[in-house]
Amino acid sequence: MKGFFSNLKGDAFGGLTAGIVALPLALAFGVSSGLGPTAGLYGAIFISFFAALFGGTSTQISGPTAPMTAVSMVVVAGIIAANDGSVEKALPAILTIFLLSGLMQIGLGAIRLGEYIKYIPYPVVSGFMTAIGVIILLTQILPSLGYYPKEDMVFVEKFKPEAEEIMLENILKEEAAEDILVLEDFKETISRAEKITQEDILKESQTLAAKEASGALGAIKVLPRVLRNISWLELLLALGTIIIIYGFKRITKAVPSTLVALVVMSGIAYGFGLNYRPIEEIPSGLPIPKWEIFTGFSLASITPYIFTAFTLALLGAIDSLLTSVVADNMTKTRHKPNKELVGQGIGNSIAALFGGIPGAGATIRTVVNINSGGKTKLSGMIAGLVLLIVMLGFAPVASKIPAAVLAGILITVGIGVMDYKGLKAIPSMPKDIKLGPIRLSSEVMIMLVVLVLSTFWNLVYAVGIGLVIASLMFMKQIGKLTAEGSDVKSLKEEEAWKDEKSFPTKLKEEVFIKHLKGPLFFGSTSDFQQLADQIPDTSSVVIMRLNRMQYMDQSGLYAMEEMLLGLRERKVKILFVGLLKQPRYMMERIGIIPDLVSETYIFDDFDKCMEYITNKVEDIV
């Protein structure tokens, strides 16, 4: 405990400052997620406290972040739409997904996956982060202009026929489930349909309208309507927020500019009695656990989102560990990646139990904490407590914050989260692939694919596709490099290794040496088979030098077996030199050794092989 309180003054100031910085972002991310500002605050409180307590990075400040909120929006919007637009009905399933992602994160730490996160290719991360920025910018255009699709009755009217059709379809599904649907007699169906009110139809139409305008693509679709229905007051509030955030940074960075913008613009809007749209009311009492996660659990409602829960867990891991690296560089310390994942998972799990949105390590808040004197886990815990105190003491005041001000804050977050370093590097990246007459950079292509698919289709699938493409490109390059170093030539044509210079001239025409350099894996088997075909029919002995073949996978193993069987049919003898442990184990498992290459023909070094050839070559030819 002595070490825990060894920097009490610095940690207190660091945690206080980080908590103040986190406040406007927590509210904004909560609103953006679709669950309201309270969910953002709860997420910031619990994740900050428990991720710091159980995590592996002493100075990390955690809470809702732009990437995590962007994926959360997908979950929230989808489940609400499936529950007739009711947040209350959808909440148990939404929080179950968030809880599941937290538990998965604990699992990732338990199986020590934290050490492997660093292998995710930069172009995938770059494309994803830029997409997050674009999504935030596009989705915040609507609230910053004061447009809410549910309230645009002309727009909502367009969805009434579809709403009626869906409601009738739901009645038929209910009857089928209850085994009372009779195709010859629709009396029950008609009876139930008559109970549908115009209010029910309007509510379903509003849900469909909100769904149509959701996401980046939805925002673009309704943009013409938005521009015809601008609320100039909301626009001025959002613009004023953006101007203060960027302008105040030029004056001083000692006070968070987002907090200044929040206080000033909210003060102006409330003080002058302007007719603005406030955020949802924030409850002032202590957070209460949402036991309906368990009492209202339905496997069917969460099944479509289980993969999304895993994406949240993985994204939170990447987000947190990247921030941990930043913290290490600033403090000259080393974080514990797997412990950090467990801590983040515990924080996200507890936040979900209380109705909070998921989060991760937040780079800006962590940097603020370190610069303000934070050095131990206590700073992150204090940041969470600061937010709790603010909520308990100032909830009625915070409920007066204009929605447009939070939209303005999020627009600056969207601009800041984009990977400008990756975008600037696009013209200078080497063009290593050719599509018809066009030459492209594989890394730029991956980044753009992830960016476009994430923005306009699906964040989850976009990252998966990006990883697959990046892996295929990597394997292609490694296979190419392996093939280039694994030539099969006669000793007259090939540059001999140092210990091959004294090879008997009289044997050079009938004895061929095959140098294998690098791993033999599924990315290089095609080239390996081509190289095997280069061995001429006149050869009677092939020496395979395997000193530099460190690894062989199953594809490589079967390619080797196929080549050896082909040589055996041609009555060619194979000698192995320098066979390493892993490839040998693989070959023994399927009987290549000793069935195709006996122990007699396996040599530790080339000198012993030379001695054998010199003495017995006539016997084995």
Side-chain angles (χ1 to χ4, degrees):
M1 292 296 287
K2 185 179 178 182
F4 198 75
F5 295 102
S6 61
N7 185 49
L8 185 58
K9 184 179 177 182
D11 289 336
F13 192 66
L16 175 65
T17 310
I20 291 170
V21 171
L23 175 63
L25 294 173
L27 294 169
F29 287 135
V31 172
S32 179
S33 73
L35 291 184
T38 306
L41 265 179
Y42 285 176
I45 291 165
F46 290 107
I47 298 169
S48 181
F49 187 89
F50 289 103
L53 179 61
F54 296 105
T57 312
S58 298
T59 54
Q60 182 105 290
I61 304 293
S62 302
T65 63
M68 293 293 279
T69 304
V71 178
S72 299
M73 281 193 297
V74 176
V75 177
V76 173
I79 297 179
I80 287 177
N83 285 271
D84 305 321
S86 170
V87 176
E88 189 178 341
K89 284 170 65 178
L91 194 60
I94 292 168
L95 296 181
T96 302
I97 293 297
F98 292 165
L99 173 61
L100 187 61
S101 73
L103 296 174
M104 285 178 176
Q105 223 166 18
I106 295 171
L108 293 177
I111 63 174
R112 308 187 66 81
L113 196 72
E115 297 161 16
Y116 298 94
I117 296 293
K118 61 187 177 184
Y119 295 114
I120 292 179
Y122 178 80
V124 175
V125 176
S126 175
F128 183 80
M129 295 305 292
T130 302
I132 294 298
V134 173
I135 290 168
I136 290 173
L137 287 175
L138 290 173
T139 54
Q140 293 309 306
I141 288 174
L142 275 63
S144 66
L145 296 178
Y147 182 83
Y148 295 86
K150 281 187 175 183
E151 298 171 12
D152 183 353
M153 298 317 295
V154 176
F155 183 59
V156 170
E157 280 289 327
K158 295 178 181 179
F159 295 92
K160 279 195 172 181
E162 188 181 346
E164 291 171 353
E165 186 181 320
I166 289 172
M167 297 179 85
L168 181 58
E169 190 178 316
N170 288 339
I171 290 173
L172 294 173
K173 284 180 181 177
E174 286 172 10
E175 291 182 2
E178 296 169 16
D179 290 328
I180 60 173
L181 177 62
V182 181
L183 295 177
E184 292 79 11
D185 185 1
F186 282 101
K187 286 183 181 178
E188 178 63 23
T189 307
I190 294 167
S191 173
R192 295 191 182 193
E194 286 174 348
K195 292 177 183 177
I196 297 173
T197 65
Q198 286 300 313
E199 188 179 336
D200 294 332
I201 295 170
L202 176 62
K203 191 176 178 182
E204 181 66 30
S205 302
Q206 288 177 317
T207 300
L208 291 170
K211 187 178 179 181
E212 178 71 12
S214 66
L217 197 58
I220 292 172
K221 284 180 183 177
V222 299
L223 192 56
R225 291 200 61 80
V226 177
L227 296 175
R228 290 196 298 270
N229 294 276
I230 295 174
S231 169
W232 295 105
L233 173 60
E234 302 291 317
L235 175 58
L236 288 171
L237 289 172
L239 285 175
T241 303
I242 295 167
I243 291 167
I244 291 173
I245 288 173
Y246 287 123
F248 196 79
K249 285 179 182 178
R250 296 178 178 275
I251 300 170
T252 178
K253 291 186 179 180
V255 181
S257 60
T258 50
L259 184 67
V260 174
L262 181 73
V263 172
V264 170
M265 295 309 297
S266 299
I268 291 171
Y270 184 73
F272 285 94
L274 301 178
N275 186 27
Y276 66 90
R277 183 190 186 95
I279 61 173
E280 293 175 24
E281 187 176 348
I282 300 171
S284 55
L286 285 168
I288 300 170
K290 305 289 184 182
W291 299 118
E292 55 265 36
I293 291 176
F294 305 107
T295 58
F297 177 78
S298 167
L299 184 62
S301 63
I302 67 166
T303 302
Y305 298 95
I306 288 176
F307 185 63
T308 309
F310 179 71
T311 303
L312 272 170
L314 197 59
L315 177 59
I318 297 166
D319 211 357
S320 300
L321 294 182
L322 286 175
T323 303
S324 296
V325 171
V326 173
D328 285 352
N329 291 335
M330 292 183 70
T331 59
K332 309 303 178 191
T333 57
R334 288 190 67 184
H335 70 281
K336 298 174 181 175
N338 297 308
K339 189 177 180 183
E340 182 61 33
L341 293 191
V342 171
Q344 292 291 334
I346 292 171
N348 278 313
S349 299
I350 294 174
L353 288 173
F354 284 88
I357 61 174
T363 306
I364 294 173
R365 282 159 266 178
T366 299
V367 169
V368 166
N369 176 43
I370 295 168
N371 288 338
S372 301
K375 288 184 179 178
T376 76
K377 294 183 174 188
L378 191 60
S379 58
M381 296 166 68
I382 289 173
L385 292 173
V386 166
L387 289 168
L388 179 62
I389 292 166
V390 168
M391 189 192 75
L392 294 176
F394 301 96
V397 177
S399 297
K400 304 296 182 184
I401 294 170
V405 169
L406 293 187
I409 290 171
L410 280 172
I411 285 171
T412 63
V413 170
I415 293 169
V417 82
M418 291 186 194
D419 181 35
Y420 296 102
K421 183 179 178 182
L423 291 171
K424 286 177 183 176
I426 288 177
S428 58
M429 295 302 290
K431 295 177 172 59
D432 53 351
I433 58 173
K434 192 174 181 180
L435 295 175
I438 305 170
R439 294 193 70 84
L440 298 169
S441 164
S442 58
E443 303 218 338
V444 171
M445 188 184 77
I446 293 164
M447 187 189 76
L448 293 177
V449 165
V450 174
L451 168 58
V452 173
L453 293 182
S454 296
T455 304
F456 298 111
W457 182 43
N458 187 295
L459 284 160
V460 179
Y461 297 147
V463 172
I465 290 169
L467 286 172
V468 169
I469 295 172
S471 300
L472 290 172
M473 293 292 184
F474 171 76
M475 289 182 288
K476 182 176 181 292
Q477 292 298 325
I478 293 297
K480 184 180 176 183
L481 292 172
T482 303
E484 286 174 356
S486 302
D487 292 334
V488 178
K489 301 174 182 175
S490 69
L491 286 178
K492 285 183 177 179
E493 298 172 353
E494 187 180 59
E495 184 180 342
W497 288 0
K498 188 177 180 181
D499 55 0
E500 297 168 0
K501 298 251 174 113
S502 60
F503 196 89
T505 306
K506 63 181 180 180
L507 295 177
K508 285 185 179 181
E509 289 299 330
E510 61 183 57
V511 177
F512 282 75
I513 295 178
K514 178 177 175 61
H515 296 145
L516 278 180
K517 305 171 189 175
L520 181 59
F521 71 115
F522 61 92
S524 61
T525 52
S526 176
D527 293 306
F528 174 77
Q529 286 161 348
Q530 289 176 18
L531 293 172
D533 293 338
Q534 294 174 18
I535 300 172
D537 295 334
T538 55
S539 63
S540 54
V541 177
V542 172
I543 300 173
M544 300 189 70
R545 302 209 60 178
L546 307 174
N547 317 54
R548 300 181 190 179
M549 189 184 77
Q550 309 92 337
Y551 174 79
M552 168 187 281
D553 73 355
Q554 194 169 10
S555 299
L557 178 67
Y558 291 134
M560 175 70 78
E561 182 184 40
E562 187 178 333
M563 187 201 75
L564 295 176
L565 286 169
L567 292 175
R568 189 181 192 181
E569 286 179 8
R570 291 161 52 183
K571 309 298 184 186
V572 176
K573 293 292 182 182
I574 303 101
L575 309 182
F576 282 175
V577 178
L579 180 60
L580 299 176
K581 185 177 179 181
Q582 192 272 346
R584 182 181 186 116
Y585 172 78
M586 293 290 285
M587 290 191 224
E588 286 175 346
R589 294 286 290 178
I590 67 165
I592 287 178
I593 300 173
D595 296 347
L596 298 179
V597 181
S598 70
E599 291 287 350
T600 309
Y601 298 150
I602 300 175
F603 305 92
D604 293 333
D605 55 60
F606 191 69
D607 289 339
K608 289 181 181 177
C609 179
M610 279 283 295
E611 184 181 337
Y612 187 87
I613 287 174
T614 304
N615 295 333
K616 300 189 177 181
V617 70
E618 291 182 3
D619 295 331
I620 64 173
V621 172

Short mmCIF file of all heavy atoms in Angstrom, two decimals, residues 79 105 114 173 204 225 240 253 322 403 445 449 501 507:
data_model
loop_
_atom_site.label_atom_id
_atom_site.label_comp_id
_atom_site.label_asym_id
_atom_site.label_seq_id
_atom_site.Cartn_x
_atom_site.Cartn_y
_atom_site.Cartn_z
N ILE A 79 -30.29 -3.57 -32.21
CA ILE A 79 -31.15 -4.21 -31.22
C ILE A 79 -32.39 -3.36 -30.93
O ILE A 79 -33.48 -3.88 -30.73
CB ILE A 79 -30.36 -4.52 -29.93
CG1 ILE A 79 -29.23 -5.52 -30.24
CG2 ILE A 79 -31.27 -5.11 -28.86
CD1 ILE A 79 -28.36 -5.89 -29.06
N GLN A 105 -12.85 -10.02 -23.17
CA GLN A 105 -11.59 -9.30 -22.99
C GLN A 105 -10.78 -9.91 -21.86
O GLN A 105 -9.56 -10.05 -21.97
CB GLN A 105 -11.89 -7.83 -22.69
CG GLN A 105 -11.00 -6.87 -23.43
CD GLN A 105 -11.52 -5.46 -23.38
OE1 GLN A 105 -12.35 -5.10 -22.56
NE2 GLN A 105 -11.02 -4.64 -24.27
N GLY A 114 -2.57 -10.62 -25.32
CA GLY A 114 -2.07 -9.25 -25.32
C GLY A 114 -0.72 -9.11 -25.99
O GLY A 114 -0.40 -8.05 -26.55
N LYS A 173 -46.52 -13.98 -37.55
CA LYS A 173 -45.45 -14.74 -36.90
C LYS A 173 -45.88 -15.18 -35.49
O LYS A 173 -45.60 -16.30 -35.06
CB LYS A 173 -44.18 -13.90 -36.83
CG LYS A 173 -43.45 -13.79 -38.15
CD LYS A 173 -42.19 -12.93 -37.99
CE LYS A 173 -41.46 -12.81 -39.33
NZ LYS A 173 -40.26 -11.91 -39.21
N GLU A 204 -43.83 2.81 -35.09
CA GLU A 204 -43.05 1.91 -35.95
C GLU A 204 -42.45 2.69 -37.12
O GLU A 204 -41.31 2.43 -37.53
CB GLU A 204 -43.96 0.79 -36.47
CG GLU A 204 -43.26 -0.24 -37.35
CD GLU A 204 -42.21 -1.06 -36.61
OE1 GLU A 204 -42.37 -1.27 -35.39
OE2 GLU A 204 -41.21 -1.46 -37.25
N ARG A 225 -32.59 16.53 -47.11
CA ARG A 225 -33.67 16.95 -46.20
C ARG A 225 -33.10 17.77 -45.05
O ARG A 225 -33.73 18.75 -44.60
CB ARG A 225 -34.41 15.73 -45.65
CG ARG A 225 -35.23 14.97 -46.67
CD ARG A 225 -36.29 14.12 -45.97
NE ARG A 225 -37.22 14.94 -45.20
CZ ARG A 225 -38.25 15.61 -45.73
NH1 ARG A 225 -38.46 15.58 -47.03
NH2 ARG A 225 -39.04 16.31 -44.96
N GLY A 240 -20.03 27.34 -32.46
CA GLY A 240 -19.38 28.04 -31.34
C GLY A 240 -18.53 27.08 -30.52
O GLY A 240 -17.41 27.42 -30.10
N LYS A 253 -3.04 25.35 -22.95
CA LYS A 253 -3.42 23.94 -22.90
C LYS A 253 -3.54 23.46 -21.45
O LYS A 253 -3.77 22.29 -21.20
CB LYS A 253 -2.40 23.09 -23.66
CG LYS A 253 -2.44 23.34 -25.17
CD LYS A 253 -1.52 22.40 -25.92
CE LYS A 253 -1.60 22.65 -27.43
NZ LYS A 253 -0.72 21.76 -28.20
N LEU A 322 -2.39 0.21 -27.40
CA LEU A 322 -1.72 1.31 -28.11
C LEU A 322 -1.50 2.49 -27.17
O LEU A 322 -0.44 3.12 -27.17
CB LEU A 322 -2.56 1.75 -29.32
CG LEU A 322 -2.58 0.80 -30.52
CD1 LEU A 322 -3.55 1.30 -31.58
CD2 LEU A 322 -1.19 0.65 -31.13
N ALA A 403 -27.74 19.60 -26.79
CA ALA A 403 -27.32 18.44 -27.59
C ALA A 403 -26.35 18.86 -28.69
O ALA A 403 -25.43 18.13 -29.04
CB ALA A 403 -28.54 17.75 -28.18
N MET A 445 -3.89 -0.01 -50.55
CA MET A 445 -5.12 -0.69 -50.95
C MET A 445 -5.84 -1.26 -49.72
O MET A 445 -7.06 -1.12 -49.59
CB MET A 445 -4.82 -1.81 -51.94
CG MET A 445 -6.07 -2.44 -52.54
SD MET A 445 -5.70 -3.85 -53.60
CE MET A 445 -5.36 -5.10 -52.37
N VAL A 449 -9.51 -0.10 -48.48
CA VAL A 449 -10.58 -1.11 -48.41
C VAL A 449 -11.22 -1.07 -47.03
O VAL A 449 -12.45 -1.04 -46.89
CB VAL A 449 -10.03 -2.52 -48.73
CG1 VAL A 449 -11.02 -3.60 -48.29
CG2 VAL A 449 -9.74 -2.66 -50.21
N LYS A 501 32.50 -26.14 -52.45
CA LYS A 501 33.48 -25.78 -53.50
C LYS A 501 34.35 -26.97 -53.93
O LYS A 501 34.82 -27.04 -55.05
CB LYS A 501 34.36 -24.64 -53.00
CG LYS A 501 33.52 -23.38 -52.71
CD LYS A 501 33.76 -22.30 -53.69
CE LYS A 501 32.80 -21.14 -53.43
NZ LYS A 501 33.45 -19.96 -52.97
N LEU A 507 31.10 -35.90 -60.34
CA LEU A 507 29.75 -36.19 -59.86
C LEU A 507 28.77 -35.03 -60.08
O LEU A 507 27.58 -35.17 -59.79
CB LEU A 507 29.79 -36.52 -58.36
CG LEU A 507 30.54 -37.79 -57.96
CD1 LEU A 507 30.55 -37.94 -56.45
CD2 LEU A 507 29.92 -39.02 -58.61
#
